[in-house]
Amino acid sequence: MELLQLQYFRTVARWEHMTKAAQDLRIAQPALSKTISRLEKDLGVPLFDREGRKIRLNAFGRAFLNKVEAALTLLEEGQREVADLAGAEHGSIHLATPTLDRLSEPLNAFVALHPNVHFRITQASMGEMARLIESGEVDLCFTPLPMDRPDFSSTSVLYEDVYLAVPPGHRLSGRQSVQLNEAANEPFIGYKEGFHFQIMNEDFLRAAGIAPNFVCRVDDAASIAKLVSSGLGVALVGNCGGPNAAFQLLPIEYPVCRRHFKIAWHNKRYLSKAARNFIDYVGRYFSGDDA
C-alpha cells in the first residue's frame, strides 16, 4: 500500500465520481481506476459499490476512509511541523470565519508584517466551522459564538458592545442610554434567521423579555444601517464600525449586550508557529498594542 494510493482514494471517496476525481487530481482516469483497483486488491475487499458508471462508497470504504483521513492529516501535520523546525518556510494558515468584517484590518496588518505566510480563508457557518476544525481542514476559526467542544481551545480577542440603533427624530433619540425592553413595540430590522449575529441578538431580546416585530431581515450590516437610517425601524448593531451620522447608537443598560469574538483551534492537532503568531498578533491588535 502506497501513500499515493491513499491520497487518490480519499479524492475518489469525496467525489464518488471517477472522472471528476481524475480531473481534480489532474491524472488520466484509466490510471486512477487502476490505482483504486490495486488498492482494493491489496485490502481484499471492494471499497465502492459500482452500478454502471456510478460509484458509491460502501461500508468497507467508509470505515477505511476514516482511517485514511486520520493518517493523511497526521502526515500533513508532521510535514508542517518539520518545516517549522527547519525554517524551510514561514508557515501557512487556513482560517475559517462567518464574517471578515472585524478581522480584515488585523489580517491585512499581519500579512504586511509577514508577507511569506500563506493564508487561505474559508467563509463558513458555525456548524461548518466546527466540522472543518474537527477534520483538520482548517487551522483556526474566528467566531463570535462559543465553540464548546472537549478538544477545542479558544481565546477571546475582541469584545464588542451592542447598541440599539435608532433613526433621526426617533422618540428615543437624544437619550443617553435605554433599557432594551423600551423598544418592545418598535419595528425591528434584523439579520436573517440562523445568521450568527442574529442568534446572539435573539438571546439579548429574550433576556429583555421581548419578542419584536421584524419588518425586514437582511444578511449584511450595511443594509441594516441603510434601513435604520431611512426610518424603517430600529436594530441591534455592534460598535466596531464607529459612529454613524445617519442614525444614533444608544447604549443598552439592561440586559448586558456584548459580543465576544474568539479564535478557536483543535488542541490535539499541530498548530504551526505562523498560526500561533497570528493568534497572539490579533489579540494585541485589538487591545491596541499593535494598532
Side-chain angles (χ1 to χ4, degrees):
M1 192 180 302
E2 301 172 359
L3 179 59
L4 194 63
Q5 288 178 312
L6 302 182
Q7 293 169 334
Y8 284 5
F9 164 70
R10 178 172 64 176
T11 302
V12 175
R14 287 176 176 174
W15 283 106
E16 289 191 319
H17 194 287
M18 199 66 72
T19 301
K20 291 179 179 179
Q23 291 171 345
D24 189 6
L25 292 165
R26 298 182 181 180
I27 64 171
Q29 181 178 329
L32 178 59
S33 297
K34 288 180 181 178
T35 300
I36 298 302
S37 295
R38 192 162 57 248
L39 176 61
E40 290 177 316
K41 184 178 179 180
D42 291 342
L43 292 170
V45 293
L47 299 172
F48 298 91
D49 292 331
R50 294 164 171 83
E51 299 175 5
R53 294 186 177 183
K54 295 181 180 180
I55 61 171
R56 292 288 182 271
L57 202 64
N58 61 25
F60 297 123
R62 287 191 295 272
F64 189 58
L65 179 61
N66 289 334
K67 301 302 182 183
V68 168
E69 291 274 19
L72 292 179
T73 296
L74 284 173
L75 287 172
E76 289 161 4
E77 289 177 358
Q79 289 175 328
R80 293 168 59 194
E81 186 170 1
V82 169
D84 260 1
L85 293 171
E89 62 180 19
H90 293 102
S92 62
I93 303 171
H94 191 174
L95 171 76
T97 178
T99 176
L100 279 169
D101 287 347
R102 311 303 191 271
L103 195 61
S104 57
E105 290 185 6
L107 179 61
N108 291 339
F110 182 84
V111 170
L113 288 172
H114 306 279
N116 292 319
V117 171
H118 176 64
F119 259 98
R120 290 176 58 202
I121 299 173
T122 298
Q123 190 166 10
S125 68
M126 294 301 302
E128 289 171 334
M129 288 199 301
R131 180 188 64 77
L132 291 170
I133 287 188
E134 193 72 58
S135 67
E137 293 177 63
V138 302
D139 305 305
L140 306 172
C141 286
F142 179 68
T143 169
L145 289 171
M147 300 180 72
D148 298 325
R149 297 205 177 186
D151 294 335
F152 289 7
S153 295
S154 65
T155 183
S156 295
V157 293
L158 172 65
Y159 298 93
E160 175 186 75
D161 289 322
V162 176
Y163 293 77
L164 181 69
V166 299
H170 188 272
R171 65 180 181 85
L172 295 174
S173 63
R175 292 273 298 272
Q176 295 301 307
S177 63
V178 294
Q179 296 205 20
L180 189 53
N181 61 8
E182 293 182 73
N185 297 319
E186 297 290 334
F188 264 77
I189 299 157
Y191 291 100
K192 292 180 179 178
E193 292 185 46
F195 193 74
H196 51 280
F197 284 150
Q198 188 61 28
I199 293 171
M200 303 176 75
N201 290 347
E202 287 171 358
D203 286 340
F204 301 146
L205 293 164
R206 276 193 294 272
I210 63 177
N213 171 35
F214 284 100
V215 296
C216 186
R217 291 183 180 271
V218 297
D219 56 9
D220 66 283
S223 295
I224 287 181
K226 290 178 182 177
L227 292 169
V228 172
S229 300
S230 70
L232 185 64
V234 302
L236 293 176
V237 301
N239 68 329
C240 280
N244 190 312
F247 56 79
Q248 184 179 356
L249 296 180
L250 300 176
I252 299 171
E253 294 178 1
Y254 181 85
V256 174
C257 297
R258 198 175 223 205
R259 297 169 182 160
H260 295 190
F261 289 84
K262 298 182 177 184
I263 294 180
W265 63 93
H266 199 297
N267 57 39
K268 291 186 178 179
R269 297 193 185 280
Y270 177 71
L271 199 61
S272 70
K273 184 177 180 180
R276 295 194 301 271
N277 288 344
F278 179 70
I279 295 169
D280 292 340
Y281 180 83
V282 173
R284 294 197 308 271
Y285 184 94
F286 284 126
S287 70
D289 293 343
D290 282 85

